Amino acid sequence: VTHNDPPTMMKVRALWSTAVQSNRSVGQKRGLASAAAWEELREAVYGDTSTTTTAPLERFDQFCDNYRHASLGDLDHIYNSRDPASLGQRLKVSGDYPGLQRHAPVHHISEVSWASEVESATGSIRDELARYIQDNKGDHVADDDSATFSTDFFSGAYGNEFNGVALVRQGKPTDIARSFFPQVMELLTKFDLVGGNRLAFFARQRAQSGIPPHSDCTNYLYTAHLGIHIPTEEILTDVIANNTTNVKTDSAPPCGMMVGGKTVVWEEGKLSIIQNAYPHHTWNNTSQDRIVLYFDFWHPDLSLEERRALTIFTDMKREWEDEEKGGFPGPPPVDDPRLRALLDRYKQ
């Protein structure tokens, strides 16, 4: 491939990216939609399906059936919740679990038994983060601390101003978590806050920035934010105060979040619990960075059996999306004449 024709090369890259996403969806669909994979999943959840006496998990079975029978184009489609009790949620079929009862955008910490113990550990959590930052200062160049705070979250969709330190990815502790954050990981593990497709990280929102409205498209997880460093002094500038992307109003706090129309104000040492299937956005109109400990946890309406079944589902789904089983990124579909013509043109 030559690079003498930048516009055409950009088209090649765009088409290739489209093909990769298409192959990813095909692999995803080919996996858990196939009869063999479905039987494998059922056996993992229920045991030997010919002799098992395990009572059926009706909501989980319905959830899997909805996923299994979705068309290929519907796998990544985002739609409004069809449940009248959760109007306003934006979901994907892989995150739409039926029959859940509690749907408020913002929840009180009394709904979880571990809230006070997590809040009381704020000091030791902050200390571990400070030691990690200090130990990694040698990796920095000038004001660049990308060696400590990575932007590799949510596919980098929120830009360089939103970054963090990963502790748990897709339910699995990271090497950084094992090496630098033993107390945090002991706390998360103690209260079953690791596993499944869950995420935990120190989330940093840089000064004078924000995240635009979006949904995480999953209703069977809640998200908790523990305030680690929450600035309060606002900087009033035309750029920030009038930034319609971040949708900050005159009455809003200088650093906060809006979830399903409800305002959340972080406090240091305090938990905020949200259902982020509702559209939400953040803003930080101060001169300092905001840092929270972010972690997902199971919806309280899920039984222990359903949590186990969802963990198996997400683990198997991830396997089927793997390159070897799902067939991506791999070569793009040969039936795309635009891509084939471009690649033939440059294969010399």
Side-chain angles (χ1 to χ4, degrees):
V1 176
T2 65
H3 298 271
N4 337 352
D5 189 351
T8 305
M9 286 304 299
M10 289 179 65
K11 293 177 183 178
V12 171
R13 292 192 183 98
L15 285 166
W16 187 280
S17 176
T18 300
V20 167
Q21 182 61 44
S22 173
N23 281 353
R24 179 179 289 112
S25 296
V26 169
Q28 181 177 338
K29 184 65 175 178
R30 183 166 58 209
L32 283 172
S34 72
W38 180 246
E39 286 305 316
E40 185 181 353
L41 174 65
R42 286 190 62 82
E43 184 171 346
V45 172
Y46 292 114
D48 184 347
T49 55
S50 64
T51 61
T52 183
T53 58
T54 303
L57 303 174
E58 294 181 0
R59 295 193 301 192
F60 176 74
D61 287 347
Q62 183 62 57
F63 167 76
C64 290
D65 282 345
N66 293 342
Y67 179 90
R68 183 185 183 191
H69 295 109
S71 66
L72 183 60
D74 286 341
L75 290 178
D76 291 317
H77 175 63
I78 300 175
Y79 54 85
N80 292 318
S81 172
R82 303 181 181 100
D83 184 347
S86 59
L87 293 179
Q89 289 186 0
R90 299 279 288 161
L91 301 168
K92 289 184 179 181
V93 66
S94 59
D96 189 356
Y97 199 86
L100 300 177
Q101 299 301 310
R102 283 176 272 191
H103 295 293
V106 182
H107 294 264
H108 195 272
I109 61 171
S110 62
E111 292 189 39
V112 294
S113 60
W114 38 260
S116 60
E117 189 165 344
V118 170
E119 289 183 341
S120 66
T122 302
S124 61
I125 293 171
R126 184 185 289 115
D127 289 345
E128 283 193 331
L129 178 61
R131 284 194 294 270
Y132 170 71
I133 293 173
Q134 181 64 36
D135 289 347
N136 283 272
K137 275 190 174 181
D139 296 329
H140 299 162
V141 178
D143 293 328
D144 177 18
D145 60 1
S146 58
T148 304
F149 287 90
S150 168
T151 58
D152 186 24
F153 294 93
F154 310 109
S155 302
Y158 308 130
N160 294 332
E161 303 305 308
F162 180 79
N163 47 46
V165 179
L167 303 177
V168 178
R169 287 186 182 274
Q170 296 183 330
K172 305 294 189 293
T174 65
D175 291 340
I176 288 175
R178 296 187 186 95
S179 300
F180 293 95
F181 297 97
Q183 294 183 72
V184 178
M185 293 309 301
E186 181 180 357
L187 196 65
L188 294 180
T189 303
K190 177 180 179 179
F191 296 114
D192 189 29
L193 302 175
V194 178
N197 63 339
R198 287 174 288 174
L199 171 68
F201 70 113
F202 287 100
R204 180 174 70 172
Q205 185 71 60
R206 302 305 299 265
Q208 303 185 51
S209 70
I211 297 177
H214 64 285
S215 166
D216 290 9
C217 302
T218 297
N219 67 1
Y220 60 78
L221 294 174
Y222 283 1
T223 296
H225 294 174
L226 176 66
I228 302 299
H229 178 67
I230 311 300
T232 58
E233 184 179 353
E234 183 167 21
I235 295 178
L236 294 178
T237 67
D238 290 340
V239 174
I240 300 300
N242 298 323
N243 187 339
T244 56
T245 301
N246 296 339
V247 200
K248 193 245 182 220
T249 64
D250 290 340
S251 59
C255 183
M257 173 172 55
M258 185 78 73
V259 185
K262 305 292 184 181
T263 300
V264 175
V265 181
W266 298 291
E267 296 181 52
E268 292 187 5
K270 299 296 183 181
L271 280 167
S272 301
I273 298 175
I274 67 170
Q275 168 48 277
N276 58 17
Y278 289 93
H280 53 286
H281 62 273
T282 70
W283 60 88
N284 179 9
N285 291 353
T286 76
S287 59
Q288 300 179 37
D289 298 341
R290 180 231 67 191
I291 300 176
V292 299
L293 174 61
Y294 171 119
F295 55 93
D296 295 327
F297 63 97
W298 296 117
H299 192 296
D301 287 349
L302 293 170
S303 68
L304 292 177
E305 292 78 9
E306 287 177 306
R307 298 176 188 193
R308 173 181 172 273
L310 279 167
T311 298
I312 294 171
F313 172 87
T314 53
D315 285 347
M316 292 187 67
K317 176 173 173 285
R318 192 174 304 125
E319 286 184 17
W320 282 104
E321 291 172 350
D322 182 77
E323 182 173 348
E324 292 182 2
K325 292 187 177 181
F328 71 93
V334 296
D335 58 353
D336 188 328
R338 300 171 300 165
L339 184 55
R340 181 53 52 203
L342 286 169
L343 293 178
D344 286 345
R345 178 177 173 184
Y346 285 100
K347 67 181 180 181
Q348 300 299 324

